[in-house]
Amino acid sequence: MATSILIIFLIVYLGMILGGLPFLRLDRTGVALLGAIALISINALSLEQAVASIHLPTMALLFAFMVVSAQMRLGGFYDWVTHKLAGLALGPASLLGVLIVVSAALSAVFSNDIVCLAMAPLLVDACRRRGLAPVPFLLALACASNIGSAATLIGNPQNMLIGQTMRLSFDGYFLDAILPVALGLAASWMLIAWQTKGRWADASDGTGAESEAANIPFDAWQTTKGLLIAGALLVAFLVAPWPREHMALIGAGILLMSRQLRSRNMLGLVDWELLVLFMSLFVVNAAFQRTGLTGHAIAWLASLGVRLDQPGALFGATFVLSNLVSNVPAVMLLIPVVHHPMGGVMLALVSTLAGNLLIVGSIANIIVVDAAARRGIVIDWRRHARVGVPVTLATLAVSGIYLAFRF
């Protein structure tokens, strides 16, 4: 049984590395789901044990904030913000800085993937109207969204998982993360502005570009309602004694009770695939941990001098695994060995910041690159790496120095 579980576990994580499996049209979610089904089928876990392995507070919090983000998107909030940014009477470098700050702030509350999905197509059109090269601004959007999402325990899925399973304080984490995040955003702006200096003008002829993105009309009431719920939840997370997932679900329920927005439209914007990926990986990891092989692997690494409970080893392992299997699976693998509260902060910061290294490092990067491709703009791995690699190294260096002092 242990051998069968190990084989299934390795196949699932090979799928995480490759983004699918050879000869099969499966993405990461499909691979993880089939792995969970296989483990239940061979009785590695009973159905009840599989359900019990899923961390429901994390799933509830993730779902609830997807609903909040859907409210903001259907209210036209992201479209309105993008158009306001594009209309600012600022030079290119200053406009880049404002974009970085705004997208980071939005990502800290409404999730980096949602922010990039809503803003990237509009940003391309806005840059072309102003005669600016879209690529630096698109890369800034992706990098800033990833970095900004590290500032809170609700900014991205892996942070939600870390915060819920390790029971981290919402305000305590924010105070620990805000300095490296702020310095990382400043470093990103300086690197991208320096690389683009003198080449801000759009040299393309627009060949192959689609027509401008269809704008969602701005609805002041729906946007206000979403902002009020999001603000109330942030305050509640800071001062209320109740579980975060309970309060988030109540907020999502209030938003679903709408006389104007259909619930099917809001729920249609929920990333059900991500929720299935989470649940499936919970099952796969629980089955693997029951074999005892995790403990043997940790002991073997310790015999080689790699102690994952030590800050340096954890930092390095998080960076490598986040780029190897993606940040959510990496966090799921490493959470069991993290016991120090600052270890949770390190896991959240490093796993998120590492996502800027390569296009496949985060879903936000892929969303931005795909949005650019649909408008005739090619951002290949080399062009992304010119920004992603130095931004990642700079932000991780800042975070490493800061965490060294905090530990």
PDB file of all heavy atoms in Angstrom, residues 222-237:
ATOM      1  N   GLN A 222     -23.212  48.784  -6.423  1.00  0.00           N
ATOM      2  CA  GLN A 222     -22.635  47.448  -6.287  1.00  0.00           C
ATOM      3  C   GLN A 222     -21.177  47.518  -5.843  1.00  0.00           C
ATOM      4  O   GLN A 222     -20.734  46.709  -5.015  1.00  0.00           O
ATOM      5  CB  GLN A 222     -22.757  46.678  -7.611  1.00  0.00           C
ATOM      6  CG  GLN A 222     -24.176  46.444  -8.081  1.00  0.00           C
ATOM      7  CD  GLN A 222     -25.002  45.634  -7.089  1.00  0.00           C
ATOM      8  OE1 GLN A 222     -24.466  44.871  -6.293  1.00  0.00           O
ATOM      9  NE2 GLN A 222     -26.312  45.807  -7.137  1.00  0.00           N
ATOM     10  N   THR A 223     -20.446  48.487  -6.377  1.00  0.00           N
ATOM     11  CA  THR A 223     -19.056  48.650  -5.962  1.00  0.00           C
ATOM     12  C   THR A 223     -18.965  49.061  -4.499  1.00  0.00           C
ATOM     13  O   THR A 223     -18.155  48.523  -3.737  1.00  0.00           O
ATOM     14  CB  THR A 223     -18.361  49.698  -6.847  1.00  0.00           C
ATOM     15  OG1 THR A 223     -18.334  49.239  -8.191  1.00  0.00           O
ATOM     16  CG2 THR A 223     -16.943  49.953  -6.377  1.00  0.00           C
ATOM     17  N   THR A 224     -19.816  50.013  -4.104  1.00  0.00           N
ATOM     18  CA  THR A 224     -19.817  50.467  -2.713  1.00  0.00           C
ATOM     19  C   THR A 224     -20.155  49.320  -1.770  1.00  0.00           C
ATOM     20  O   THR A 224     -19.538  49.168  -0.706  1.00  0.00           O
ATOM     21  CB  THR A 224     -20.822  51.621  -2.528  1.00  0.00           C
ATOM     22  OG1 THR A 224     -20.453  52.706  -3.380  1.00  0.00           O
ATOM     23  CG2 THR A 224     -20.836  52.089  -1.083  1.00  0.00           C
ATOM     24  N   LYS A 225     -21.139  48.516  -2.172  1.00  0.00           N
ATOM     25  CA  LYS A 225     -21.524  47.387  -1.327  1.00  0.00           C
ATOM     26  C   LYS A 225     -20.358  46.414  -1.152  1.00  0.00           C
ATOM     27  O   LYS A 225     -20.075  45.940  -0.043  1.00  0.00           O
ATOM     28  CB  LYS A 225     -22.728  46.669  -1.939  1.00  0.00           C
ATOM     29  CG  LYS A 225     -23.302  45.569  -1.051  1.00  0.00           C
ATOM     30  CD  LYS A 225     -24.686  45.141  -1.511  1.00  0.00           C
ATOM     31  CE  LYS A 225     -24.666  44.479  -2.860  1.00  0.00           C
ATOM     32  NZ  LYS A 225     -25.962  43.836  -3.197  1.00  0.00           N
ATOM     33  N   GLY A 226     -19.658  46.134  -2.258  1.00  0.00           N
ATOM     34  CA  GLY A 226     -18.506  45.238  -2.175  1.00  0.00           C
ATOM     35  C   GLY A 226     -17.398  45.812  -1.308  1.00  0.00           C
ATOM     36  O   GLY A 226     -16.789  45.095  -0.502  1.00  0.00           O
ATOM     37  N   LEU A 227     -17.126  47.120  -1.471  1.00  0.00           N
ATOM     38  CA  LEU A 227     -16.082  47.753  -0.663  1.00  0.00           C
ATOM     39  C   LEU A 227     -16.449  47.782   0.811  1.00  0.00           C
ATOM     40  O   LEU A 227     -15.583  47.588   1.684  1.00  0.00           O
ATOM     41  CB  LEU A 227     -15.826  49.174  -1.172  1.00  0.00           C
ATOM     42  CG  LEU A 227     -15.126  49.283  -2.534  1.00  0.00           C
ATOM     43  CD1 LEU A 227     -15.077  50.736  -2.985  1.00  0.00           C
ATOM     44  CD2 LEU A 227     -13.712  48.706  -2.470  1.00  0.00           C
ATOM     45  N   LEU A 228     -17.726  48.009   1.103  1.00  0.00           N
ATOM     46  CA  LEU A 228     -18.168  48.027   2.505  1.00  0.00           C
ATOM     47  C   LEU A 228     -17.989  46.649   3.147  1.00  0.00           C
ATOM     48  O   LEU A 228     -17.527  46.545   4.293  1.00  0.00           O
ATOM     49  CB  LEU A 228     -19.628  48.469   2.592  1.00  0.00           C
ATOM     50  CG  LEU A 228     -19.897  49.963   2.356  1.00  0.00           C
ATOM     51  CD1 LEU A 228     -21.401  50.233   2.330  1.00  0.00           C
ATOM     52  CD2 LEU A 228     -19.229  50.806   3.439  1.00  0.00           C
ATOM     53  N   ILE A 229     -18.369  45.603   2.426  1.00  0.00           N
ATOM     54  CA  ILE A 229     -18.217  44.250   2.969  1.00  0.00           C
ATOM     55  C   ILE A 229     -16.742  43.914   3.160  1.00  0.00           C
ATOM     56  O   ILE A 229     -16.330  43.383   4.204  1.00  0.00           O
ATOM     57  CB  ILE A 229     -18.891  43.215   2.044  1.00  0.00           C
ATOM     58  CG1 ILE A 229     -20.409  43.387   2.068  1.00  0.00           C
ATOM     59  CG2 ILE A 229     -18.511  41.793   2.456  1.00  0.00           C
ATOM     60  CD1 ILE A 229     -21.056  43.096   3.409  1.00  0.00           C
ATOM     61  N   ALA A 230     -15.917  44.244   2.151  1.00  0.00           N
ATOM     62  CA  ALA A 230     -14.485  43.968   2.263  1.00  0.00           C
ATOM     63  C   ALA A 230     -13.871  44.739   3.429  1.00  0.00           C
ATOM     64  O   ALA A 230     -13.077  44.186   4.206  1.00  0.00           O
ATOM     65  CB  ALA A 230     -13.773  44.327   0.959  1.00  0.00           C
ATOM     66  N   GLY A 231     -14.237  46.026   3.568  1.00  0.00           N
ATOM     67  CA  GLY A 231     -13.721  46.822   4.677  1.00  0.00           C
ATOM     68  C   GLY A 231     -14.175  46.297   6.020  1.00  0.00           C
ATOM     69  O   GLY A 231     -13.399  46.237   6.985  1.00  0.00           O
ATOM     70  N   ALA A 232     -15.447  45.897   6.104  1.00  0.00           N
ATOM     71  CA  ALA A 232     -15.976  45.352   7.358  1.00  0.00           C
ATOM     72  C   ALA A 232     -15.253  44.064   7.735  1.00  0.00           C
ATOM     73  O   ALA A 232     -14.955  43.822   8.917  1.00  0.00           O
ATOM     74  CB  ALA A 232     -17.477  45.108   7.226  1.00  0.00           C
ATOM     75  N   LEU A 233     -14.954  43.237   6.739  1.00  0.00           N
ATOM     76  CA  LEU A 233     -14.244  41.985   7.023  1.00  0.00           C
ATOM     77  C   LEU A 233     -12.828  42.253   7.517  1.00  0.00           C
ATOM     78  O   LEU A 233     -12.355  41.590   8.455  1.00  0.00           O
ATOM     79  CB  LEU A 233     -14.215  41.102   5.777  1.00  0.00           C
ATOM     80  CG  LEU A 233     -15.535  40.454   5.371  1.00  0.00           C
ATOM     81  CD1 LEU A 233     -15.384  39.699   4.065  1.00  0.00           C
ATOM     82  CD2 LEU A 233     -16.023  39.508   6.464  1.00  0.00           C
ATOM     83  N   LEU A 234     -12.152  43.219   6.912  1.00  0.00           N
ATOM     84  CA  LEU A 234     -10.801  43.538   7.361  1.00  0.00           C
ATOM     85  C   LEU A 234     -10.807  44.019   8.807  1.00  0.00           C
ATOM     86  O   LEU A 234      -9.962  43.612   9.614  1.00  0.00           O
ATOM     87  CB  LEU A 234     -10.189  44.611   6.455  1.00  0.00           C
ATOM     88  CG  LEU A 234      -9.839  44.175   5.026  1.00  0.00           C
ATOM     89  CD1 LEU A 234      -9.290  45.359   4.243  1.00  0.00           C
ATOM     90  CD2 LEU A 234      -8.835  43.041   5.033  1.00  0.00           C
ATOM     91  N   VAL A 235     -11.760  44.877   9.150  1.00  0.00           N
ATOM     92  CA  VAL A 235     -11.869  45.352  10.534  1.00  0.00           C
ATOM     93  C   VAL A 235     -12.199  44.198  11.467  1.00  0.00           C
ATOM     94  O   VAL A 235     -11.627  44.058  12.558  1.00  0.00           O
ATOM     95  CB  VAL A 235     -12.936  46.465  10.640  1.00  0.00           C
ATOM     96  CG1 VAL A 235     -13.176  46.839  12.106  1.00  0.00           C
ATOM     97  CG2 VAL A 235     -12.511  47.687   9.839  1.00  0.00           C
ATOM     98  N   ALA A 236     -13.130  43.341  11.038  1.00  0.00           N
ATOM     99  CA  ALA A 236     -13.525  42.200  11.862  1.00  0.00           C
ATOM    100  C   ALA A 236     -12.351  41.246  12.091  1.00  0.00           C
ATOM    101  O   ALA A 236     -12.178  40.704  13.188  1.00  0.00           O
ATOM    102  CB  ALA A 236     -14.687  41.461  11.212  1.00  0.00           C
ATOM    103  N   PHE A 237     -11.538  41.043  11.059  1.00  0.00           N
ATOM    104  CA  PHE A 237     -10.374  40.168  11.219  1.00  0.00           C
ATOM    105  C   PHE A 237      -9.403  40.714  12.261  1.00  0.00           C
ATOM    106  O   PHE A 237      -8.688  39.960  12.921  1.00  0.00           O
ATOM    107  CB  PHE A 237      -9.633  40.015   9.881  1.00  0.00           C
ATOM    108  CG  PHE A 237     -10.383  39.207   8.858  1.00  0.00           C
ATOM    109  CD1 PHE A 237      -9.968  39.205   7.531  1.00  0.00           C
ATOM    110  CD2 PHE A 237     -11.492  38.450   9.201  1.00  0.00           C
ATOM    111  CE1 PHE A 237     -10.647  38.466   6.581  1.00  0.00           C
ATOM    112  CE2 PHE A 237     -12.177  37.705   8.251  1.00  0.00           C
ATOM    113  CZ  PHE A 237     -11.756  37.708   6.937  1.00  0.00           C
TER     114      PHE A 237
END
